[in-house]
Amino acid sequence: MSVTVRLGVMMFLQYAIWGSWFSVLSAYMINDLHFTGVQAGIIYSLLPFATIIAPFIGGQAADRYFATEKIIAFLQFTGGILLVVVSMVKSYPLMLALMLAYCLLYAPTLVLTNSIAFINMKDSEKDFGRVRVGGTLGWIAAGLMLSGWRLLAQTTGLPTFSGDMLLMGGILSFLMGFQALTLPHTPPKKEAANPWAFLEAFRMLRNPDFAVFMLIAFVVSTELYFYYLLTAPFLMTDKIGVPASGVAGVMVLAQAAEILVMALVLPWFLPRYGIRKTLLLGILAWPIRYIIFAIGAPAWLVIGSLFLHGFCYVFFFTASFIYVDMVAPKDIRASAQGLIALVTLGVGNFVGSLFAGWVQTVFTTGGATNWVGVFLVPCGITVFCLVAFLMFFREVKPVAAEA
């Protein structure tokens, strides 16, 4: 297979693993295991917490010591074992401990898959969106497979397994471990002068425009978990009416939009209008989505607003990874990807998961949640980010050219 196809399959499996459990685990914990919103938020904060620690370790290892494809294979094999075990756990303390261990293994692969793709592509600005769309297809496939199995079991009387989303993630993780060994050989850059590449990545913050970008990226990323953590239980309320067996399938509408935006719109828009306008449109989509959630009616509009996730995610987060690759010095690109992952997938999402769980708990009385109040919070914060971006972020010169 061509390099592009292999990288696309890699992205497919990488995000199918994540998508198999991430969108619906909160509903499973809150509705079936009866965890509180705060407890669910803590579980969801583990992957961001791991992303704070692990990507710099993974980036450092790939930049200096081991072949990237072998690191990915080891982490996915080991993580698959843990997910299978977690799927059988019902206790909150034990699930907390095991999920922390799993997230410490999975988090570095988010950075390393981006890094190995950028290294092996000829034109990252043009090709990354097309490769990364494989991840969106993987997320969709995982959601459809999960909903399909649940509907089949419901209609035929087949036995069901309450931790099915975690078991599926474990199986997919094993598959990716094998697939990683087919990726292009990407050895470490042992000839680099500085043995501490991840420290060099922090020097990029000396550029004021890059620092402004990272600050806004952090704040926006804190609001992502209002979508990931709370959308599934919100859609299952009587007002919206999505059944538990179908919620995973409905939520893949967001990833269907990602496919269109990532494969068609981003490669056309970014070269013509630049990174500033791309990021600006990405931020604008966030408060629009959350105000529709806050209104909560009609149900078809709420479900239809899931399509905005394509612009929310692709025009901001995917574009952010492209931007960092554009401005990072070549010998620290893996660690530079670790820096943006630290700020967004790490610290931002860690704070956001705890914040979203806390907000849901605050607006819940007697088992009933005031969803209007819940979603007005991220709406207001993302409007603030939009204004700050317009005022302070300028089109930047590549840091690599200045270094």
Side-chain angles (χ1 to χ4, degrees):
M1 291 187 293
S2 70
V3 171
T4 301
V5 172
R6 281 182 281 164
L7 293 173
V9 173
M10 173 196 71
M11 290 293 186
F12 179 94
L13 292 170
Q14 175 73 27
Y15 287 88
I17 295 165
W18 195 0
S20 64
W21 61 269
F22 199 70
S23 295
V24 295
L25 182 63
S26 59
Y28 167 60
M29 291 188 295
I30 293 172
N31 296 337
D32 295 343
L33 301 183
H34 305 293
F35 293 173
T36 66
V38 170
Q39 288 176 324
I42 292 173
I43 293 288
Y44 267 71
S45 75
L46 296 177
L47 182 55
F49 173 75
T51 308
I52 297 171
I53 303 171
F56 279 103
I57 299 174
Q60 175 74 4
D63 279 336
R64 298 293 182 258
Y65 303 114
F66 303 103
T68 303
E69 74 278 6
K70 293 182 180 179
I71 299 173
I72 295 172
F74 170 77
L75 294 172
Q76 293 291 2
F77 278 130
T78 311
I81 296 172
L82 278 175
L83 272 186
V84 171
V85 174
V86 176
S87 70
M88 297 178 281
V89 170
K90 309 296 182 183
S91 162
Y92 171 71
L94 184 56
M95 178 178 285
L96 182 69
L98 292 175
M99 282 299 291
L100 174 59
Y102 168 72
C103 291
L104 287 170
L105 294 171
Y106 182 79
T109 65
L110 292 169
V111 173
L112 294 175
T113 49
N114 281 342
S115 174
I116 199 171
F118 283 124
I119 290 171
N120 290 284
M121 287 186 300
K122 294 181 179 179
D123 186 345
S124 62
E125 184 175 327
K126 179 181 177 182
D127 296 335
F128 181 69
R130 295 189 174 99
V131 169
R132 175 59 180 78
V133 78
T136 305
L137 288 170
W139 193 294
I140 290 174
L144 293 177
M145 285 190 294
L146 185 61
S147 284
W149 169 253
R150 288 177 172 181
L151 289 171
L152 180 65
Q154 190 177 52
T155 55
T156 62
L158 291 172
T160 58
F161 179 58
S162 57
D164 53 4
M165 74 291 292
L166 295 164
L167 178 62
M168 177 185 292
I171 294 171
L172 291 170
S173 190
F174 292 139
L175 291 176
M176 185 171 176
F178 286 109
Q179 194 272 338
L181 298 176
T182 73
L183 294 173
H185 180 56
T186 309
K189 300 177 180 64
K190 294 182 179 180
E191 73 280 2
N194 187 350
W196 300 103
F198 69 93
L199 294 179
E200 286 293 315
F202 278 100
R203 293 179 58 193
M204 296 171 64
L205 295 172
R206 295 185 303 180
N207 183 312
D209 297 310
F210 185 77
V212 167
F213 158 75
M214 294 296 277
L215 179 60
I216 294 174
F218 163 73
V219 178
V220 171
S221 65
T222 64
E223 307 314 292
L224 181 59
Y225 270 62
F226 280 88
Y227 175 79
Y228 282 137
L229 178 61
L230 301 178
T231 298
F234 171 61
L235 293 178
M236 291 167 60
T237 59
D238 293 337
K239 188 174 183 180
I240 309 301
V242 178
S245 59
V247 68
V250 170
M251 289 188 67
V252 300
L253 292 174
Q255 280 64 52
E258 275 191 44
I259 291 178
L260 296 175
V261 175
M262 196 175 301
L264 300 177
V265 183
L266 185 65
W268 174 84
F269 190 94
L270 182 57
R272 287 169 175 79
Y273 297 102
I275 195 68
R276 186 176 191 274
K277 292 180 180 177
T278 301
L279 293 169
L280 178 64
L281 186 57
I283 298 174
L284 178 62
W286 289 68
I288 296 175
R289 175 175 64 182
Y290 285 132
I291 195 63
I292 294 173
F293 276 24
I295 295 170
W300 63 264
L301 180 60
V302 173
I303 294 173
S305 70
L306 297 178
F307 282 103
L308 285 170
H309 186 72
F311 285 94
C312 290
Y313 195 90
V314 175
F315 267 52
F316 190 78
F317 287 107
T318 302
S320 294
F321 284 112
I322 294 173
Y323 166 67
V324 170
D325 185 69
M326 291 166 54
V327 301
K330 291 183 178 180
D331 68 327
I332 62 165
R333 280 180 174 173
S335 293
Q337 291 295 324
L339 178 61
I340 183 64
L342 171 71
V343 171
T344 57
L345 300 176
V347 180
N349 284 357
F350 175 73
V351 173
S353 59
L354 297 177
F355 182 53
W358 175 78
V359 168
Q360 189 269 344
T361 301
V362 168
F363 282 95
T364 299
T365 304
T369 300
N370 176 4
W371 292 107
V372 176
V374 167
F375 289 118
L376 282 178
V377 173
C379 180
I381 291 175
T382 49
V383 167
F384 172 81
C385 290
L386 180 64
V387 174
F389 186 87
L390 284 168
M391 292 178 62
F392 300 112
F393 181 80
R394 300 175 299 170
E395 198 78 39
V396 299
K397 296 178 181 179
V399 174
E402 299 174 353

